Amino acid sequence: QVQLVESGGGLVQAGGSLELSCAVSGRTISNFLMGWFRQAPGKEREFVAARGGNTVYADSVKGRFTMSLYKNTVYLQMNNLTPEDTAVYYCALQTAPINYLDAQRYEYWGQGTQVTVSS
């Protein structure tokens, strides 16, 4: 059984930093495509970052967010946060890497962690 458990969300002031973690059990993540998505109130879930062989980022977070993997945990280091980054953040796993941008291609999801950035 595959489980993804996020942690690390919280409330931070604009310009601050947070690091999200996603602990994965049931799969060795180095063999699969891992992604981070976020969903703000009233908006669709949007792609943030993904890592298979390479790491790719949404333009809105490029240069501020860094995705990394260590053992079976995925991290998202978020720096220089802005109120526009406020959302629930989800990690996800795609077993057959077809399209890292498409949330529907990811078979497994965590429960999400809230990130709130105050101005």
Side-chain angles (χ1 to χ4, degrees), residues 3-19:
Q3 287 189 322
L4 287 72
V5 179
E6 298 107 336
S7 61
L11 173 65
V12 64
Q13 288 187 334
S17 299
L18 282 174
E19 182 178 66

Side-chain angles (χ1 to χ4, degrees), residues 75-97:
Y75 299 92
L76 187 68
Q77 176 66 42
M78 307 185 295
N79 297 328
N80 195 20
L81 287 161
T82 73
E84 289 69 37
D85 295 316
T86 295
V88 178
Y89 284 70
Y90 299 88
C91 66
L93 185 152
Q94 186 174 148
T95 58

Side-chain angles (χ1 to χ4, degrees), residues 17 27 34 45 54-55 65-66 68 84 103 114 116 118-119:
S17 299
R27 287 285 191 278
M34 297 299 303
R45 192 168 296 191
N54 299 321
T55 306
F65 290 14
T66 303
S68 61
E84 289 69 37
Q114 176 71 47
T116 303
S118 63
S119 58

Side-chain angles (χ1 to χ4, degrees), residues 19-70:
E19 182 178 66
L20 306 183
S21 301
C22 174
V24 181
S25 59
R27 287 285 191 278
T28 301
I29 61 175
S30 59
N31 297 331
F32 302 108
L33 178 63
M34 297 299 303
W36 284 99
F37 288 77
R38 66 186 181 185
Q39 188 166 17
K43 295 187 177 181
E44 294 187 354
R45 192 168 296 191
E46 66 171 355
F47 169 78
V48 175
R51 180 167 175 149
N54 299 321
T55 306
V56 293
Y57 299 94
D59 287 345
S60 59
V61 307
K62 200 173 294 183
R64 300 187 298 122
F65 290 14
T66 303
M67 181 177 180
S68 61
L69 281 66
Y70 180 70

